[in-house]
Amino acid sequence: MKIEIFELERRQSLWENTVEYNLTESGIHPFTISELLNDEQIKQILNLRLGYGQTNGSIELRESISKIYPNATLDNVFTTNGSAEANFVSIWGNLNPQDELLLMLPNYMQIWGLARSFGVNVKPFHLKEDLEWQLDMDEIQKLITHKTKMIAVCNPNNPTGSIMSLSNMEELIDIANEYSVWILSDEVYRGAELDSKETTSFFGKYDKAIAVGGLSKAYSLPGLRMGWIVAPEEIAEKAWSYHDYTSISPSVISQQIATWALESNTRQKILTRNRKMLNENLSVFQNWLNKRKHLFDFIPQKAGAMSFVRYYFDMNSTLLTERLRKEKSLLIVAGDCFGMDNYLRLGIGSEKEYLLKGLQRLEEGLEEFVNA
Ligand SMILES: Cc1ncc(COP(=O)(O)O)c(C=O)c1O
């Protein structure tokens, strides 16, 4: 099977550890183990037996995950290695070649590339900038057919950081319901809302919803590689049988730490720390942009650590980001990775000093390349 190159991940894999300033991260500055755990928990980790553990996720872990979704029980939950694997088994397990998938763009392009490699007919619909990155339902009505099996959304969205309005959600559910199609909702940024109002999950609102989540973004724990699916029981069961062919099980260390991270007090502490960082860093970035209004347009994100900006100078986004990497040791994501030239995605979730220095490099690059 031929695959399409996943440009965004490929560029991160190649360069993120070789540059001085990496502003491609869509997550928030990660925790260390000692910042997260108390002495007793660290002792328990040291004595943890390194078996396979429960391969669909321990009972405690699945219970903690179920508590953050309305009307979910542990039988609705299936755990994976990262939300990337949750997306993978959801597409692999629920779609066949020639099925139609309606996919929200712009998006984290994993489902785009993966489904197309599996021979699925992927039909994009778009978040509209002039609607502040909301959906135009007429576009979806025109695309959906009786061959459509699934609608895939990313909410909160990567890269725009927008959150779907409740009316958009309800209208989308009505359309999905009329054609009896699944909604696969990648909600890995849920919990990272700047105004602290948690995004409504599609799970609990629609019977045929598969919600994907994980600890990499809103919880700042990407190194645990902890993701999950919350779905009707038969879908969670099915995901397990596909997962037997991928990685069998998430690590027992990650399962244990994830269970503690999701305990209600710890979870609140994590989310509060992250929202504070996000708000502070977003104002740093907006101050920076305000001095360059003639070059950029920006609808601030509602959630997540990525800022998606449109620029008005004449330079291809891949060319610009390549020059920034090579000449300024700064990595940022080109709009081309989302099929949207003239945009840049900047990760603002790092420590403030680091962000300021990264922006300084961008400033230097712009002065040299754009004014040259
Ligand atoms: C929307 C979205 N889904 C899934 C992933 C994969 O993340 P992870 O596997 O670390 O949970 C990412 C990573 O950037 C993402 O942005």
Side-chain angles (χ1 to χ4, degrees), residues 9 26 82-84 87 108 154 158 186 188-189 216-217 225:
E9 285 298 337
S26 58
S83 55
N87 281 331
Y108 181 63
C154 178
N158 175 359
D186 183 340
V188 72
Y189 294 93
S216 294
K217 309 296 178 184
R225 309 304 305 122

Side-chain angles (χ1 to χ4, degrees), residues 332-350:
I332 55 180
V333 181
D336 278 342
C337 291
F338 309 99
M340 292 172 76
D341 194 14
N342 293 104
Y343 288 83
L344 298 171
R345 194 193 78 178
L346 285 96
I348 60 150
S350 53

